[in-house]
Amino acid sequence: MREKDFPDIAALVLAAGKGTRMKSDTPKVLLPLLGEALLSYPLAAVRGAGLESCGVVFGHGASRVCAFLENAFPEVTGIHQEEQRGTGHAVSVAQDWWKQFRHLLVLPGDLPLLPPEALTSLCREHISRNAACTFLTMRLEDPTGYGRVVEKNGRIRIVEEKDALPEEKAIRDVNSGIYVFDTALLEKELALISPDNAQNEYYLTDVVDRLGATQLPVVMVCWPIPQDLFGVNDPVQLADAERRLRDRILGAWMRRGVRCVDPASVWIGPKVTLAEDLLIEPNVQILGKTHIGAGSRIGTGSVVRDSELGKCCTLVAYVVIQDSRVEGNSRIGPFAFLRDDTTIRDRALVGKFVEIKKSDIGDDAKVPHLSYIGDAHVGAGTNIGAGTITCNYDGVKKNRTIIGDDCFIGSDTMLVAPVELGEGAMTGAGSVITEDVPAGALAIGRARQRNIPGWRARKAGSSENDATEGGKS
Ligand code: UD1
Ligand code: CA
């Protein structure tokens, strides 16, 4: 579907509810699935269906939902529903926004599995049938909790669980909560509904009933895969939906040539892109806006978020990479942590128990063991000895360490920043480097070793004397 396929249809996502059963301080629609907020899924489906204008009704956790929208979906119009008085009320508080459009798609904000195709087929049906309202239904084994679709003499009503008669409760065709309305008719009928029901709420479903009395038809579209339209209301449903999403996303990548040893333990977010010929080992998470280049191997226990990996990279195992970039043929880990805008250049090696923050590690450089490199530039071909630390923080601010190409940093060097080492410079093991080192120089900054001959024997003798004296007193 291309944008502007439905120029007259705007979308309104209802996301003001509390999500009581989640028992979380985080508003339900902001809880993450595969690293992305729940609300981002229906919004992506709306975008994927080619609907350009979209509004979100928010209420609970208003400031956080609003901040999320501004950051992640700036094109979306937020509408505040201060008090939640039902789905009909939620739609009416947004009326000033949606009345400029000819049709309005209404959907709940808690549908992580909703495919854009469900929305396009609903919209297409609505337009082609010239309907007053078209809504998506599904047939369930267990319809408990949903509004039942009751058809009598050609007139369609939706009866909520709490208002349903026993024979209505047996109906298995239910309302998904996704509708398209003719806005002129919606505006007229919304003004006429009342909260005269078991929940004392303004039901949007009452509008559907009332539209049955107009000239235009009310149309149902039954979606054949009910799971696609499932909402999430508690942590069990959230986990279930996340697994389904995981299988869907990973399955699509595997069909495009990504090999995965244990798909049940691999989690790939919806914004991730993967090249071909990848190997993903068990217990891996790849989330956010991440890309991984062809021929790479993501070792067990690794977590990569909002990062870019080039071709033929190896994350040996247990590597965490955030907001960083790793160029081709690099080898990282096991047990390495790269974060905050770090760049590892071609063929570089980052080894065991190494943390690298906001640094640039040059082509063919090596940081093989037990190091902290922060706010640093490490030149091409440079070798960083085991245990080296950039002392980047003076208690007030962060300072930079600049190490030229082809340097050799002795093991356990403390580089007290700000400090700069010229091309080809060396440091002696155990040095504390506080001053710049010119190109090609060897810097040694440590106490000179002194050997004291016979110390052990003399020390032993003196402690025997101490003991004898102690015994006398
Ligand atoms: C609604 C439908 C029901 C349908 C079901 C599908 C009504 C009366 N019933 O019931 O027929 O089977 O969805 O899931 O519409 N919301 C607001 N503001 C409010 C109230 C709700 O934004 O004042 C939002 C909620 O955050 C939620 C959505 O609207 O995303 C649905 O509301 P909810 O109260 O959960 O409706 P259901 O009881 O599930
Ligand atoms: Ca619900």
Side-chain angles (χ1 to χ4, degrees):
M1 279 287 141
R2 221 51 28 76
E3 276 186 26
K4 289 194 174 136
D5 274 351
F6 301 108
D8 294 340
I9 308 181
L12 184 66
V13 179
L14 306 186
K18 185 153 188 214
T20 315
R21 281 175 281 165
M22 286 294 177
K23 302 205 189 298
S24 172
D25 282 343
T26 304
K28 177 170 95 171
V29 288
L30 297 189
L31 290 172
L33 291 94
L34 299 177
E36 307 296 332
L38 175 51
L39 180 56
S40 67
Y41 290 92
L43 289 175
V46 165
R47 206 187 256 168
L51 302 184
E52 279 203 316
S53 305
C54 184
V56 170
V57 177
F58 57 83
H60 274 280
S63 59
R64 291 174 66 182
V65 176
C66 203
F68 162 77
L69 288 174
E70 273 168 22
N71 178 46
F73 291 88
E75 74 281 13
V76 163
T77 304
I79 297 131
H80 193 189
Q81 183 192 22
E82 281 176 36
E83 214 188 326
Q84 285 74 54
R85 299 170 67 190
T87 46
H89 180 251
V91 173
S92 70
V93 298
Q95 188 166 308
D96 283 343
W97 173 73
W98 55 252
K99 66 183 180 194
Q100 60 182 308
F101 306 101
R102 174 102 165 72
H103 305 278
L104 184 68
L105 168 71
V106 177
L107 67 161
D110 61 357
L111 306 181
L113 299 162
L114 177 66
E117 296 76 29
L119 300 181
T120 49
S121 63
L122 179 70
C123 291
R124 231 182 269 124
E125 192 70 10
H126 179 81
I127 300 296
S128 72
R129 298 283 294 273
N130 189 26
C133 167
T134 309
F135 67 106
L136 275 177
T137 67
M138 51 190 171
R139 178 164 293 176
L140 299 178
E141 286 302 322
D142 175 12
T144 309
Y146 285 92
R148 311 299 204 280
V149 178
V150 180
E151 251 187 301
K152 219 186 218 165
N153 306 328
R155 176 101 175 235
I156 295 165
R157 273 192 312 133
I158 297 165
V159 181
E160 295 307 298
E161 169 98 20
K162 290 183 177 137
D163 304 296
L165 302 168
E167 62 266 30
E168 290 169 336
K169 283 193 179 145
I171 295 172
R172 288 167 48 216
D173 289 305
V174 303
N175 170 28
S176 68
I178 308 171
Y179 327 72
V180 186
F181 294 98
D182 176 297
T183 48
L185 295 173
L186 176 63
E187 185 171 359
K188 194 162 148 244
E189 299 303 336
L190 257 185
L192 300 172
I193 60 172
S194 76
D196 183 15
N197 52 52
Q199 302 185 81
N200 210 5
E201 287 181 358
Y202 291 91
Y203 288 169
L204 183 60
T205 46
D206 285 353
V207 172
V208 177
D209 178 26
R210 298 185 62 85
L211 289 171
T214 65
Q215 298 301 311
L216 301 180
V218 172
V219 176
M220 292 190 287
V221 174
C222 184
W223 188 248
I225 310 162
Q227 290 83 354
D228 285 355
L229 310 184
F230 281 0
V232 296
N233 295 301
D234 62 32
V236 175
Q237 291 173 349
L238 186 69
D240 184 55
E242 195 170 18
R243 277 193 299 273
R244 286 174 194 276
L245 258 183
R246 188 266 316 272
D247 292 346
R248 197 189 272 179
I249 292 171
L250 196 55
W253 287 118
M254 289 195 292
R255 280 187 284 276
R256 292 166 69 168
V258 171
R259 281 166 293 131
C260 201
V261 178
D262 177 25
S265 71
V266 170
W267 303 80
I268 294 177
K271 293 188 195 154
V272 171
T273 55
L274 303 176
E276 290 169 7
D277 198 18
L278 285 190
L279 174 63
I280 302 178
E281 294 182 358
N283 293 307
V284 163
Q285 298 178 49
I286 306 174
L287 302 172
K289 244 176 139 19
T290 291
H291 174 77
I292 298 188
S296 293
R297 173 161 78 88
I298 311 301
T300 192
S302 297
V303 180
V304 184
R305 197 186 285 268
D306 296 311
S307 296
E308 197 176 321
L309 272 65
K311 288 183 182 162
C312 301
C313 293
T314 302
L315 309 188
V316 180
Y318 303 101
V319 173
V320 177
I321 303 181
Q322 282 166 196
D323 306 304
S324 293
R325 213 160 67 84
V326 175
E327 292 183 354
N329 298 287
S330 302
R331 189 180 170 86
I332 320 284
F335 302 102
F337 183 23
L338 313 180
R339 62 185 174 99
D340 296 307
D341 208 10
T342 280
T343 300
I344 309 294
R345 300 202 179 264
D346 289 300
R347 297 171 306 278
L349 172 83
V350 174
K352 286 66 69 182
F353 305 101
V354 171
E355 177 179 359
I356 302 186
K357 179 220 129 186
K358 214 179 248 178
S359 296
D360 189 321
I361 309 298
D363 291 344
D364 302 290
K366 295 188 172 81
V367 192
H369 327 269
L370 299 158
S371 288
Y372 172 66
I373 306 294
D375 305 294
H377 169 89
V378 174
T382 284
N383 187 89
I384 306 280
T388 294
I389 286 173
T390 54
C391 308
N392 61 329
Y393 187 46
D394 57 17
V396 181
K397 63 180 192 310
K398 302 289 170 67
N399 302 296
R400 280 182 64 72
T401 299
I402 296 166
I403 305 172
D405 294 350
D406 299 314
C407 289
F408 184 93
I409 307 301
S411 294
D412 202 30
T413 298
M414 298 295 121
L415 297 156
V416 181
V419 70
E420 184 166 351
L421 286 74
E423 186 180 339
M426 298 178 78
T427 68
S431 290
V432 178
I433 303 298
T434 55
E435 275 157 43
D436 292 353
V437 181
L442 167 67
I444 303 178
R446 65 184 186 214
R448 195 172 269 283
Q449 180 173 333
R450 184 161 68 103
N451 292 340
I452 304 171
W455 170 269
R456 183 87 189 264
R458 266 192 288 140
K459 188 75 184 165
S462 76
S463 61
E464 246 166 54
N465 290 345
D466 289 351
T468 333
E469 278 166 25
K472 270 183 192 164
S473 61

